[in-house]
Amino acid sequence: MAVWPSIFLLGLLPLLGQVGSREITRIIMIIFLGADQIQASSGRNTLEGQLWPESLGNFPFPCNPMKSAVSVPSESVHTLRPSDIKFVAAIGNLEIALDSRVEDLGEQLGAEKVVQPACVGVMTVLSDIVSHFNPAALTPRCPAETSVVLHHGGAEDLWAQAQELVRSMKENQELDFQRDWKLINVFFSNTSQCFPCPSAQQMKLAPQGMDKLMATLDYLQQEVPRAYVNLVDLSELAAFSRWRQASQLSPATKSCSCLEETSQLAKVLTQWSYLEAWDSLLATSKYNKQESFAVVFQPFFYETSPSLLSAEPPLQDPSTLALSLWNKMMEPVGRKEEPFSERERRPLKCPSQENPYLFTYGNSKQLSRSSQPKGKLEVREGTELRCPDKDPSNEIPTSVHRLKPADIKVIGAMGDSLTAGNGAGSLPGNVLDVITQYRGLSWSVGGDQNISTVTTLANILREFNPSLQGFSVGTGRETTSGAFFNQAVAGARADGLVAQAQRLVTLMKNDTRINFQEDWKVITVFIGGNDLCDSCNDPARYSPQNFTDNIAMALDILHAEVPRAFVNLVEALEISKLRELYQESRVSCPRLILRSLCPCVLRFDDNSTELATLIDIIKAYQNNTQHLIDSGRYDSKDDFTVVLQPFFENVNMPKTAEGLPDSSYFAPDCFHFSSKAHAHAASALWNNMLEPVGQKTRENNFEGGVHLSCPNQVWPFLSTYKNSEQAHGTWLPCTERSSSGSRPTSVHALRPADIQVVAALGDSLTAGNGIASKPDDLADVVTQYRGLSFSSGGDDSLENVTTLPNILRQFNSGLVGYAVGTGDASTTNAFLNQAVPGAKAGDLVSQVQALIQRMKTDHRINFQEDWKVITVQIGGSDLCDYCTDSNLYSATNFIEHLRDALDVLHSEVPRAFVNLVDFMSPSVIRQVFLGNLDTCPVKLASALCNCVLSPRENSYELTRLEALAQAYQSGMRELVESGRYDTREDFTVVLQPLFHDVRLPVLQNGSLDRSFFAPDCIHPNQKFHSWLSRSLWRNMLEPLGGKTDILDLSANLALACPTQNQPFLRTFQNSDYTYPTSKPAIENWGSDLQCTTWRPSKSDPSSVHELHPAHIKVVAALGDSLTLAIGARPSNTSDLPVYWRGLSWSIGGDGALETHTTLPNILKKFNPSILGFSTGTLEETMGLNVAVPGARAQDMPAQARDLVERMRNNPEINLEKDWKLVTLLVGGNDLCHFCENPGAGSEAEYIQYIQQALDILYAELPRTFVNVVEVMELAGLHQDQGGKCATLLAAQSQCTCFRYSQSSPEMQELKKMNWNLQSGLSQLSYTHQYVQRKDFTVVVQPFLQNTLVPLTETGDADLTFFSEDCFHFSERSHAEMAIALWNNMLEPVGHKTTSSNFTYSRTKLKCPSPESPYLYTLRNSQLLPDQAEAAPTVLYWAVPVAAGAGLLIGILAMVVWTAVRKQRNPSVVMATGL
């Protein structure tokens, strides 16, 4: 109703005279606060009553009172529970400013005492909360005043109110004054009207206030037993709201003298230090020394200070104040860090099960932070910068895209407190010092000391240019002289950047130390942290669009006003990671400061929509700035650019060794950076500046030391958008570029500048297929980009295109012969690049002839006098097709073709330096292709290079391919080193091994980086060709015997330069190199076992799964002539075969390991007393070798019975206790006679016989480890043997299958049978019966699964592995088999090697590992079902099934490949093949 309250009250005056003061108070409160604001009664108060705002009227009480209740009240204030409190009271006049008409009412009421309405509101809510824990809690009490109008009596009023409170409590009949616990709240204000005043005088307020409160607190301590006293400081509420306190300790009319620093940081530091001062005083005061009395300081600070000029002051809600006060009682001392908000009601906190008490200084278990010892200043993060090139450009550059670090003469910066350096040099624990701006330590512009002690961008640049100007030193604000061009402003937002830019431009223009027009400048802009921290409070002001627009306006000023500038725009920090530090209670941080500085990041729950919105805003800030710079808005001038540096996009929180957030990276406020973080930020910025656009590091982990990159010697410029697009160019730093004084007559005195003609021969790699094809343009791979070819391209210049001709043109601009543009070899653009796509070694002679014809007939070339560099690269296409005709593409034929071509050059071409470049390993193409099946064109790639891409891993075909590639390379080396092409003074051939070991970068997902390849994943693209050019050039300048044969594409590769001492292209003669002669003879096939531990740590085990090699006491073997070692050594007679049992791979014991490698000789190193091995050739010394010549699988049960009988009859063997190792290999004879009658035997029968033999061993032999060796791949073993062996094998009666050709149906069936036998054997280890006993196991050893003929360096079959009959194995093969078997035994089941490495080495034997020193079984390989907990995803039958599936896939691949080959288009192959 529209009636003045005072008029309404006048009508009530007659009634008021008939009621008491309590009822008068209630009526006044209802009138002025509203009936929904207060409910008082002489009895109980209820929390569910109308005290709550209407929106929370039905709010359920969240705590369970029974959890914290106890039957007996506490005897100590430090274990005081809410249920122990009986009475709640307050002193200190807490009141809302009332309308002036109330004062008139007060005068009419006279001296009648009334309670404070606001105080009653607060205390009623507080008492209601207490009553839920203790229903017997009494009605709260507030102090009375003689009138409604406040008078400010200060400390005297408090003391008088305390006396009145004590009197009333003693008179209260419902209160046991001595035994009942009381909650007393002392409200006061301790500031002047300009609070908070961020000056030193503010720090004096706590002790001053304490002095004024002492009389009151002394009285309460002396008079009141069992009391918990809240000392409630409402200073900030008094300054910024309509709350008023009669107990104001500082006179209201006297203003404090504030310093000019009034930032948010200054405010929160003052709040924190003020809280620290009170806590420190009270924690050590006499008021907290008793068990029945405690005083706890309870501060009220706004999260964001309301404006004093605000038209709408904060809401006045007593219930909000009461709930906030309760929550602070639930917070430990030192953790009362949640700011006060009258606009946002916080959830009511409940006592926890761990801490059910009201917190005091005695039970908080946390020292006040100011009482904690302050740490020493950490050692500053200095580093070293050892870069080979620190020189400026030869001339001052005119383009920002050709700017070297040493060209920079001026540095500047704009931003906020992170650039201003707040707290960067503060001592640990000295929170107040964070207000200090350590600009000399600032990451982007600080210049204190030097790089060895302080890592900053300025100090890094001073390593290149000691005369750098503009860096800041020391401490101070942006207006101080030490700030120089660091114009960052603490607390700045993006909307403050324009002013900073204007001030920076003015300073630069007016500073006489720099040449504003001519000096090159680096300016770093970093902003956004404060915008994000306040984004939720003013979404419109801090919107991503406004943020970006403000940055754009500042950059526009720089773009328009500042010449010769490189501007770093550092992306907004991913500030949400700060939550990790804030939420980790085990890290000591001033959370009040953190929360106040960055509320929008820290105050919301992890899964809240507000946090999700913040993360979206961060991404929008980052994306918008990216789009702004990507627009090209700042690339309209050649002397100005802005580059986005994204290293802050995703910064992980550094962690300690314990896994906690590492606060050493932060200033004492845990918000700003320490000098350590500044150093890491500086290094990250510097490294970003050197990284090409599009390849910049976006995620940083600041843990570890500071790492500084050096400018790329290939491209030593700061990276910009424009020069990153031209990253295929190279910078040549050579100063010595002169030619010989006169035209040289010797190829060994040839300088780069003497070269007048360049030419190339080869296949599609040299022709340039797909070099410039776009990633998604697969069809364009047929285009021959000859002008970009690594060895002969001449498009553009070295600055933009790196090729060998473009390098040579830096020495001789008159060079001719290079190709340009696109086209095939017949075009004029090709010139002397006569490479043909799909060419093989057999095609080289025709290319040579075409090249010679062009050189002789071209008027630009003096054929007889001009020096020529001719690069020959061939071999890839031969390997791609080798499997179609192994004889045609044999190593012998390859070398013959290559020799013929080089012979023609040698005989026809005068004055020539020939580079013979090897080919890329097939494994590189396989890894790229198979690692990117989703992006590589499977069908096309398989058709182009099927023999490389189709073989399955660990297959015979793949092993054979790798061996053939090695044979090609060995043959090339031997051809060159023969000296065949060094018979003339004006001609040489030099092998350049740049392709020998290509190492591609590995992406984060583990796959190889395919960005070096054309869309077909086979041909190198321009990026790769640039590397090849540099590598070839480097090889040409390296001496023979010292050439680099590793091409690491993840490393920087600069262009090498000739030196004054070595100015020539290197040949064998000017390298003082002598070609190697014959290899040293191998005296024997022994091995060296380099194990450090021979004996196990425990005695004989009871379990075979803990069997160490030293536990083996008996060895035995079953098998055929291979185990008997027929033909291991040459025989003096041809009448009878000799059984060299003592040399047998699995059972021989002749000599010692150093001269004869056999399994028993290996075991002797662990147990010299081993029994059962064979020696010599006689039956008397055969030991437990029960193998029989010509034996098949059907003979194995009989051999098993024979073996058991021999063991039983041997008195030296303890059958029950001795551990036995039995090796079984059979199947060669089964396969050799398979072709006679394919239906006579099956793989099932073969496995059945083997299993019968194993069953006998299982039944009769305790403590036994059985090796079952998979049968070798018979067809592959002999398919490449030629010469004398071709006739011998065809006549072999022991293996009639060898009479058939490799392509015959009989041989194909043999291969299938071979695979089936291997597959069946692979499952024997998993037979249920053999895994039941602890002292018996069967392990299949698959090292013979993929068998192939070892090749010589010329690519022919190495017959030293065979006996004289070309069928049985020599001693060398027996040694290799023993090594492979032993190594298989030490490999886990499921991870065993399935092929043998026939490269000779005495040190190939493995050793038992300390972690797993046992022979591997199914069980200790973690493959049994009862080990599911240890390896839940592994099924014990999975390995054999996978092996069988692998064989099936191999068969299907062969079928599919054959079909593809038949459908292949020959014209496509010629156009695009390697």
Side-chain angles (χ1 to χ4, degrees), residues 506-725:
T506 300
L507 287 173
M508 285 186 172
K509 286 181 176 179
N510 296 333
D511 198 293
T512 59
R513 289 167 288 186
I514 70 170
N515 185 327
F516 182 68
Q517 294 297 327
E518 298 295 326
D519 289 348
W520 279 101
K521 312 159 193 74
V522 162
I523 301 171
T524 300
V525 180
F526 176 55
I527 203 75
N530 295 311
D531 301 73
L532 291 169
C533 283
D534 281 340
S535 58
C536 61
N537 294 325
D538 194 342
R541 177 184 176 186
Y542 301 118
S543 70
Q545 188 60 53
N546 279 349
F547 175 78
T548 310
D549 290 346
N550 287 319
I551 291 176
M553 287 189 288
L555 293 178
D556 287 348
I557 292 172
L558 298 180
H559 185 231
E561 298 288 336
V562 183
R564 296 198 171 184
F566 181 104
V567 179
N568 291 312
L569 177 59
V570 178
E571 226 176 48
L573 179 66
E574 216 293 63
I575 200 169
S576 64
K577 299 292 178 67
L578 190 64
R579 293 171 62 85
E580 291 185 48
L581 189 63
Y582 180 75
Q583 293 172 347
E584 180 50 72
S585 60
R586 292 171 290 178
V587 177
S588 178
C589 278
R591 285 169 177 77
L592 171 66
I593 295 177
L594 276 172
R595 176 67 177 269
S596 298
L597 288 177
C598 207
C600 297
V601 173
L602 301 176
R603 79 181 182 199
F604 301 113
D605 294 336
D606 285 342
N607 297 320
S608 64
T609 56
E610 292 86 354
L611 180 59
T613 300
L614 170 71
I615 293 174
D616 289 341
I617 293 174
I618 294 173
K619 291 299 180 186
Y621 275 21
Q622 295 172 341
N623 292 336
N624 284 12
T625 50
Q626 180 80 59
H627 294 153
L628 171 65
I629 306 307
D630 285 348
S631 69
R633 179 171 180 160
Y634 304 109
D635 284 316
S636 60
K637 299 190 301 184
D638 205 38
D639 71 340
F640 186 95
T641 194
V642 180
V643 180
L644 189 71
Q645 311 296 5
F647 65 93
F648 271 144
E649 183 175 302
N650 190 7
V651 178
N652 296 315
M653 175 65 66
K655 299 295 176 62
T656 64
E658 295 77 22
L660 300 177
D662 190 346
S663 59
S664 69
Y665 285 86
F666 295 88
D669 65 349
C670 290
F671 181 79
H672 292 90
F673 287 174
S674 67
S675 60
K676 186 175 181 179
H678 275 272
H680 282 271
S683 69
L685 171 59
W686 167 253
N687 293 340
N688 254 185
M689 291 168 67
L690 298 180
E691 294 166 340
V693 175
Q695 301 176 43
K696 293 183 181 290
T697 301
R698 293 178 174 271
E699 182 172 352
N700 272 285
N701 187 340
F702 280 4
E703 296 172 13
V706 172
H707 168 70
L708 296 178
S709 299
C710 286
N712 189 330
Q713 294 183 62
V714 176
W715 196 255
F717 311 118
L718 301 183
S719 292
T720 68
Y721 283 78
K722 287 189 176 180
N723 66 27
S724 294
E725 294 173 357

Side-chain angles (χ1 to χ4, degrees), residues 978-1295:
S978 68
R980 185 183 185 96
Y981 305 110
D982 291 306
T983 59
R984 288 180 11 215
E985 191 67 18
D986 70 341
F987 188 96
T988 194
V989 177
V990 180
L991 184 65
Q992 311 294 8
L994 58 136
F995 269 123
H996 181 75
D997 184 3
V998 177
R999 300 178 183 178
L1000 289 172
V1002 179
L1003 302 178
Q1004 290 184 348
N1005 63 6
S1007 63
L1008 291 181
D1009 185 358
R1010 64 150 294 187
S1011 69
F1012 288 87
F1013 289 85
D1016 64 354
C1017 296
I1018 294 178
H1019 291 89
N1021 62 11
Q1022 188 175 1
K1023 183 178 178 181
F1024 202 160
H1025 273 264
S1026 299
W1027 278 90
L1028 295 178
S1029 307
R1030 298 183 199 116
S1031 299
L1032 174 57
W1033 172 250
R1034 176 178 62 182
N1035 268 181
M1036 291 169 67
L1037 296 180
E1038 292 174 330
L1040 273 72
K1043 291 186 181 292
T1044 302
D1045 61 0
I1046 296 175
L1047 179 54
D1048 186 352
L1049 299 178
S1050 63
N1052 287 329
L1053 177 59
L1055 286 180
C1057 290
T1059 64
Q1060 285 188 338
N1061 295 332
Q1062 297 291 345
F1064 311 124
L1065 303 183
R1066 305 309 290 272
T1067 66
F1068 83 98
Q1069 190 176 103
N1070 63 30
S1071 299
D1072 294 327
Y1073 181 75
T1074 303
Y1075 291 132
T1077 54
S1078 59
K1079 298 180 180 178
I1082 299 173
E1083 297 180 357
N1084 58 61
W1085 303 111
S1087 296
D1088 300 318
L1089 188 60
Q1090 300 176 330
C1091 302
T1092 56
T1093 302
W1094 304 102
R1095 301 296 301 171
S1097 58
K1098 58 187 292 187
S1099 57
D1100 283 2
S1102 59
S1103 171
V1104 71
H1105 312 297
E1106 297 178 355
L1107 190 64
H1108 187 278
H1111 295 138
I1112 303 295
K1113 295 185 179 179
V1114 182
V1115 291
L1118 299 81
D1120 52 24
S1121 57
L1122 186 57
T1123 300
L1124 289 171
I1126 293 178
R1129 282 185 176 175
S1131 174
N1132 295 325
T1133 174
S1134 60
D1135 296 335
L1136 295 174
V1138 177
Y1139 303 131
W1140 298 91
R1141 293 184 179 90
L1143 301 178
S1144 175
W1145 58 288
S1146 62
I1147 191 67
D1150 278 356
L1153 180 62
E1154 287 72 20
T1155 56
H1156 301 85
T1157 304
T1158 66
L1159 182 60
N1161 282 349
I1162 297 171
L1163 291 169
K1164 287 179 189 177
K1165 290 294 182 180
F1166 297 90
N1167 180 10
S1169 303
I1170 199 166
L1171 302 172
F1173 55 83
S1174 305
T1175 58
T1177 60
L1178 303 177
E1179 288 191 12
E1180 290 79 5
T1181 57
M1182 64 187 295
L1184 297 179
N1185 183 346
V1186 298
V1188 176
R1192 304 187 190 186
Q1194 64 188 21
D1195 302 312
M1196 290 302 100
Q1199 288 190 26
R1201 286 188 285 270
D1202 183 19
L1203 176 61
V1204 171
E1205 189 63 25
R1206 286 175 183 246
M1207 285 188 179
R1208 290 187 184 279
N1209 294 333
N1210 191 324
E1212 295 182 274
I1213 298 176
N1214 186 327
L1215 198 65
E1216 297 297 325
K1217 293 186 177 181
D1218 290 346
W1219 278 102
K1220 301 165 263 310
L1221 177 64
V1222 180
T1223 301
L1224 185 156
L1225 169 60
V1226 75
N1229 291 302
D1230 298 77
L1231 290 170
C1232 273
H1233 298 285
F1234 171 77
C1235 300
E1236 300 170 10
N1237 186 4
S1242 66
E1243 58 268 24
E1245 291 177 349
Y1246 171 83
I1247 301 301
Q1248 181 181 357
Y1249 290 131
I1250 300 295
Q1251 194 157 354
Q1252 288 175 6
L1254 295 176
D1255 289 347
I1256 293 170
L1257 299 180
Y1258 181 79
E1260 300 293 339
L1261 297 182
R1263 295 201 170 192
T1264 302
F1265 185 109
V1266 181
N1267 286 318
V1268 175
V1269 180
E1270 283 190 14
V1271 63
M1272 69 184 67
E1273 192 168 359
L1274 200 65
L1277 185 64
H1278 292 280
Q1279 71 174 14
D1280 281 328
Q1281 295 193 36
K1284 67 166 187 174
C1285 283
T1287 304
L1288 287 172
L1289 289 174
Q1292 272 287 354
S1293 61
Q1294 301 179 65
C1295 198

Side-chain angles (χ1 to χ4, degrees), residues 627-907:
H627 294 153
L628 171 65
I629 306 307
D630 285 348
S631 69
R633 179 171 180 160
Y634 304 109
D635 284 316
S636 60
K637 299 190 301 184
D638 205 38
D639 71 340
F640 186 95
T641 194
V642 180
V643 180
L644 189 71
Q645 311 296 5
F647 65 93
F648 271 144
E649 183 175 302
N650 190 7
V651 178
N652 296 315
M653 175 65 66
K655 299 295 176 62
T656 64
E658 295 77 22
L660 300 177
D662 190 346
S663 59
S664 69
Y665 285 86
F666 295 88
D669 65 349
C670 290
F671 181 79
H672 292 90
F673 287 174
S674 67
S675 60
K676 186 175 181 179
H678 275 272
H680 282 271
S683 69
L685 171 59
W686 167 253
N687 293 340
N688 254 185
M689 291 168 67
L690 298 180
E691 294 166 340
V693 175
Q695 301 176 43
K696 293 183 181 290
T697 301
R698 293 178 174 271
E699 182 172 352
N700 272 285
N701 187 340
F702 280 4
E703 296 172 13
V706 172
H707 168 70
L708 296 178
S709 299
C710 286
N712 189 330
Q713 294 183 62
V714 176
W715 196 255
F717 311 118
L718 301 183
S719 292
T720 68
Y721 283 78
K722 287 189 176 180
N723 66 27
S724 294
E725 294 173 357
Q726 301 168 348
H728 300 305
T730 306
W731 178 65
L732 185 71
C734 308
T735 56
E736 177 55 51
R737 302 188 186 188
S738 61
S739 62
S740 301
S742 60
R743 184 173 291 177
T745 58
S746 172
V747 73
H748 311 297
L750 192 63
R751 296 170 181 258
D754 296 328
I755 304 299
Q756 292 164 301
V757 180
V758 65
L761 308 170
D763 53 27
S764 56
L765 178 63
T766 303
N769 280 84
I771 292 180
S773 299
K774 295 180 179 179
D776 57 350
D777 192 357
L778 180 60
D780 189 58
V781 176
V782 300
T783 303
Q784 300 169 32
Y785 290 91
R786 292 180 183 265
L788 302 176
S789 174
F790 79 104
S791 61
S792 64
D795 278 357
D796 207 307
S797 64
L798 183 63
E799 190 176 64
N800 299 316
V801 178
T802 304
T803 64
L804 178 62
N806 282 350
I807 296 171
L808 290 172
R809 287 160 70 188
Q810 295 288 309
F811 295 87
N812 178 10
S813 59
L815 184 78
V816 297
Y818 53 83
V820 295
T822 62
D824 61 30
S826 64
T827 62
T828 56
N829 281 353
F831 206 171
L832 300 184
N833 178 346
Q834 289 301 294
V836 177
K840 301 176 175 64
D843 303 313
L844 272 183
V845 170
S846 61
Q847 289 187 30
V848 169
Q849 292 168 341
L851 172 63
I852 293 173
Q853 180 65 23
R854 285 205 171 197
M855 287 195 290
K856 285 182 176 181
T857 57
D858 195 286
H859 70 277
R860 291 166 289 184
I861 300 172
N862 186 328
F863 185 67
Q864 294 298 327
E865 297 295 325
D866 288 348
W867 278 102
K868 312 158 193 75
V869 163
I870 304 172
T871 301
V872 180
Q873 196 277 329
I874 201 74
S877 295
D878 299 75
L879 291 173
C880 280
D881 279 349
Y882 90 96
C883 59
T884 63
D885 192 330
S886 57
N887 289 324
L888 178 61
Y889 300 112
S890 68
T892 301
N893 283 343
F894 174 81
I895 298 304
E896 286 180 358
H897 294 316
L898 179 61
R899 182 175 63 235
D900 292 343
L902 294 178
D903 285 351
V904 175
L905 288 175
H906 184 230
S907 63

